[in-house]
Amino acid sequence: MRNFVLAGMALALAASTGAARAADPLTLQLKWVAQAQFAGYFVAKEKGYYDEAGLDVTIKPGGPDVAPAQVLAGGGADVIIDWMPSALAAREKGLPLVNIAQPFAKSGLMLTCRKETGIASPADFKGKTLGVWFSGNEYPFLSWMSKLGLKTDGGPEGVTVIKQGFNVDPLIQKQADCISTMTYNEYGQVLDAGLKPEDLVVFKYEEQGVATLEDGLYTLESTLQDPANVDKLARFVSASMKGWQYAGEHPDEAAEIVIDNDTTGAQTLEHQTFMMGEIAKLLGPGPKLDVAAAGTTVDVLLGGGSDPVITRKPEGAWSSVVTDAIK
C-alpha cells in the first residue's frame, strides 16, 4: 500500500512539473500580412516575452483572402486582430465576437485626394470618385458619407465608389480623385510614388468626427467562459503590450524583426521603419479599452441614416475580464 501511495505521489509530481514546464499554445490571426502594424506581437515573440509568460504563440499572417472573424469562428485561432466596425457588424450578424483589449487608441484611416481635383473640403466630394476598401473596412467610410448626406451609388449628387485594392494605383493612375489610405502605410506609398504632400489633401477620420476604433484583440464569448482561457489571454495581452512598448522605443529594431517575419519578401526595411514610426503614434497607454471611444464608434456606426452599419447598440461586445486579470 505504501509503495502504491508513493508511486501515485511520484506521478502527481511528474504531472505537476510537466504542467509547469509546458507552454500553453495560443494562435493569433493577424488582420493583414506581416508588417509593422503588428510589430508588437512579432517583437514579443522574438524577445521571448511570450515564453516568459508560459505561452507558445503562433502568429498567422492575414491577406486579401483571409477573414480573421471566419478563422476564429472555424477554430483556426484563439484571438484575432480586427477593427471594431467589422467586429460589431459580424456580432450583429450572429458571431459573438468580444473585444478583450485595445492596443490602438487612435485611428490611422484617411481619405487622400489629389489637390488638382479641386477638393478642398468634404463638401467637394459630390460627383467625385472615391476609392474604398471593402471586406469590412468600408463601414467607417459608409457612415461618413451618410453623415455628409452623400449617396454612394454614383450620380452628380453622390459619390462614385470604386472597390480599391490594397494599393495606391487608383490615385497614381488618376482613376479616383481620392483613395483610402492609412497614415502608416499607403500614404507613404503615395509619397514614394512621387507625389508630394503639397500635391495632396488628406482628411483624417479622427478630425472628421467619424473615427472608429481599429486594431483590437477579439475572441469568442464562449472562450471567456473558461477561467483558464482568461488567464492565458491575460498573459498574452500583457506580453504583447511589453512587445509594443519595446517596438515603440526601438522602431528600427522592430522594423528589422518584422522583415525577418515577412514570408512574402515584399516588404522593405525603409517602409517598415516608416510604418513603425507612424504606428507608435496610434498606440494607447495600455491594453484597456476606452469604453467612451467604443461608444463613439457605436454612435458613428449607428449614424448611417437609412443604411447604418449596425442597427442597434451592441450588448456584451467588449469585456474587461482579460485586462482585469493581468497581474
Side-chain angles (χ1 to χ4, degrees):
M1 180 64 181
R2 182 172 179 274
N3 289 340
F4 177 79
V5 172
L6 289 175
M9 291 176 63
L11 284 173
L13 179 62
S16 174
T17 304
R21 284 201 300 263
D24 294 321
L26 184 147
T27 299
L28 168 68
Q29 174 64 62
L30 303 183
K31 184 172 174 60
W32 192 241
V33 299
Q35 56 184 12
Q37 179 183 358
F38 315 110
Y41 308 104
F42 288 117
V43 168
K45 189 172 177 67
E46 176 68 21
K47 292 295 179 182
Y49 300 153
Y50 292 138
D51 294 337
E52 294 169 4
L55 297 171
D56 178 13
V57 174
T58 299
I59 302 176
K60 297 171 70 173
D65 300 323
V66 177
Q70 292 180 9
V71 174
L72 184 68
D78 300 288
V79 60
I80 63 171
I81 296 171
D82 206 351
W83 287 7
M84 186 168 278
S86 173
L88 291 181
R91 184 178 176 85
E92 186 166 290
K93 292 176 182 174
L95 183 62
L97 294 178
V98 181
N99 178 297
I100 57 170
Q102 187 63 42
F104 280 33
K106 297 180 180 177
S107 165
L109 185 58
M110 306 191 298
L111 207 58
T112 297
C113 313
R114 282 182 178 267
K115 189 176 288 184
E116 67 189 39
T117 63
I119 295 174
S121 77
D124 302 317
F125 288 159
K126 192 179 294 183
K128 301 297 186 182
T129 299
L130 312 180
V132 181
W133 294 314
F134 281 78
S135 300
N137 300 312
E138 72 275 26
Y139 297 136
F141 170 81
L142 295 176
S143 291
W144 186 16
M145 293 302 108
S146 178
K147 180 180 178 182
L148 294 173
L150 295 173
K151 293 185 176 182
T152 56
D153 54 359
E157 297 303 312
V159 298
T160 298
V161 173
I162 63 170
K163 188 175 182 179
Q164 181 185 337
F166 290 95
N167 57 59
V168 299
D169 291 349
L171 191 75
I172 303 304
Q173 298 171 4
K174 299 187 179 182
Q175 298 164 341
D177 300 296
C178 309
I179 61 169
S180 298
T181 60
M182 301 304 293
T183 55
Y184 51 79
N185 195 3
E186 291 79 12
Y187 184 71
Q189 294 177 17
V190 171
L191 299 181
D192 289 344
L195 291 173
K196 299 176 181 177
E198 53 266 34
D199 299 326
L200 304 167
V201 178
V202 299
F203 301 97
K204 293 184 177 181
Y205 280 55
E206 286 274 0
E207 297 171 353
Q208 300 301 319
V210 290
T212 55
L213 288 172
E214 294 166 3
D215 298 36
L217 294 171
Y218 293 82
T219 192
L220 294 174
E221 265 184 16
S222 57
T223 301
L224 300 178
Q225 302 304 310
D226 185 344
N229 287 335
V230 171
D231 173 68
K232 185 168 69 171
L233 289 168
R235 284 181 280 137
F236 168 72
V237 171
S238 179
S240 297
M241 293 310 297
K242 197 173 175 182
W244 274 120
Q245 181 176 352
Y246 190 94
E249 294 171 350
H250 305 83
D252 293 343
E253 183 181 351
E256 290 178 356
I257 291 173
V258 169
I259 290 294
D260 290 342
N261 285 276
D262 170 32
T263 56
T264 69
Q267 309 287 12
T268 67
L269 182 59
E270 181 182 18
H271 186 65
Q272 293 308 304
T273 303
F274 164 82
M275 185 181 291
M276 187 60 238
E278 293 299 317
I279 284 291
K281 300 173 184 176
L282 306 181
L283 295 172
K288 276 187 175 292
L289 173 72
D290 181 343
V291 174
T296 299
T297 297
V298 169
D299 291 340
V300 169
L301 300 180
L302 284 170
S306 61
D307 189 24
V309 175
I310 56 176
T311 60
R312 58 185 181 276
K313 287 196 174 185
E315 295 183 3
W318 48 81
S319 170
S320 65
V321 65
V322 170
T323 50
D324 289 346
I326 294 176
K327 300 170 183 173

